[in-house]
Amino acid sequence: NISEITRLSYDLQSGSYIKSYNILKKNKKKYNIFYENMKNLIKNIKGKEVKTILDFGTGEGIKLPYILRFSKKIKKIYACDISFNRLCYAFDFLKKELSQKKLSKIFLFCNKDFELPFKSNSIDVVYVTGVLENMSNRRMNDLILELLRVTKKRLILNEPRKNDITKTDLIRLKKYKLNFNLNYILKKNKIHFKEIKWHPI
């Protein structure tokens, strides 16, 4: 099925995100944009009341060190992915990037589709990056409702929009039939949301 194909494809891509990140760090201009985007993300995460975070679809955990660097009040970060291979790369990456004390705040786990092992309203902030674009409307709808179930204060969805990406990316995204209907799904469920535009890299 589609979720199994997705998992296998991510298994095969394992390590590619860290390679891209290491290349990005060598390009000062692009890295500065990435860094500003991380600060923008954290600005919407941090707060005295935010103690727990879930990074759904964490991939190789590249954003996690930035969250811990800028959000001192965070006690636990749960980070999941459907690919166990990618989580292994994430663990190795985080061991190099973080002190043992900071690493102890991160809990990596492999999720099966949308089943999350959390009680309702148990995670302060949940965020997702580039996951929903790979889904049909029905699956996107189901995942959003599950994420809303577990989140206590805020749900952050970082996904591409047609009018905010380059023509090259738009052609690529259309070729792979990626889904741009996030706003439609949110409105259909009568979910109030605010849009923040990030700097494209």
Side-chain angles (χ1 to χ4, degrees):
N1 59 40
I2 292 295
S3 62
E4 191 68 358
I5 292 168
T6 305
R7 185 186 65 76
L8 289 167
S9 70
Y10 283 142
D11 280 350
L12 291 168
Q13 291 175 49
S14 295
S16 62
Y17 278 56
I18 291 169
K19 282 180 186 174
S20 298
Y21 173 72
N22 288 333
I23 292 167
L24 179 71
K25 283 181 80 174
K26 291 174 185 175
N27 184 320
K28 190 175 179 182
K29 186 180 176 184
K30 287 187 176 182
Y31 179 74
N32 285 341
I33 294 169
F34 171 82
Y35 190 78
E36 285 303 310
N37 284 340
M38 286 299 99
K39 286 205 296 188
N40 196 9
L41 169 67
I42 288 138
K43 186 171 68 180
N44 290 282
I45 285 177
K46 70 191 235 180
K48 288 180 183 177
E49 76 285 2
V50 177
K51 302 284 195 297
T52 55
I53 290 175
L54 168 63
D55 176 8
F56 185 92
T58 191
E60 289 157 27
I62 288 161
K63 296 178 291 299
L64 303 182
Y66 293 90
I67 293 171
L68 287 172
R69 185 186 304 170
F70 295 115
S71 306
K72 308 294 183 190
K73 302 286 183 184
I74 291 170
K75 303 288 185 192
K76 288 182 183 178
I77 298 179
Y78 299 97
C80 66
D81 203 274
I82 58 171
S83 168
F84 185 75
N85 280 17
R86 291 175 89 189
L87 291 175
C88 290
Y89 275 88
F91 184 66
D92 289 341
F93 170 76
L94 294 168
K95 275 199 299 185
K96 291 175 187 172
E97 295 286 318
L98 298 173
S99 66
Q100 193 61 44
K101 185 179 177 182
K102 286 187 175 179
L103 187 63
S104 69
K105 293 183 177 183
I106 297 175
F107 299 83
L108 301 173
F109 69 96
C110 210
N111 61 292
K112 183 182 176 186
D113 282 344
F114 312 149
E115 297 171 25
L116 293 173
F118 301 109
K119 294 178 181 178
S120 297
N121 305 314
S122 59
I123 307 292
D124 291 327
V125 175
V126 176
Y127 78 89
V128 181
T129 300
V131 172
L132 298 166
E133 65 191 35
N134 299 302
M135 299 178 175
S136 65
N137 282 0
R138 184 182 63 79
R139 288 173 64 78
M140 185 188 289
N141 187 88
D142 291 347
L143 176 56
I144 288 171
L145 293 179
E146 173 66 353
L147 296 174
L148 282 171
R149 180 188 70 76
V150 301
T151 193
K152 192 174 184 180
K153 303 180 187 301
R154 200 171 301 136
L155 172 60
I156 299 171
L157 307 170
N158 181 20
E159 300 288 331
R161 294 180 61 210
K162 280 183 182 176
N163 54 346
D164 287 337
I165 58 176
T166 64
K167 285 182 181 177
T168 307
D169 276 339
L170 184 59
I171 291 166
R172 181 179 64 82
L173 295 174
K174 282 183 173 178
K175 178 184 175 184
Y176 294 107
K177 297 181 173 63
L178 297 187
N179 194 334
F180 291 101
N181 291 327
L182 176 57
N183 285 15
Y184 164 75
I185 300 294
L186 293 171
K187 287 172 184 174
K188 190 186 88 167
N189 284 290
K190 297 181 180 176
I191 297 165
H192 297 287
F193 63 95
K194 180 172 78 171
E195 286 187 274
I196 299 170
K197 186 176 177 180
W198 281 29
H199 303 291
I201 299 178

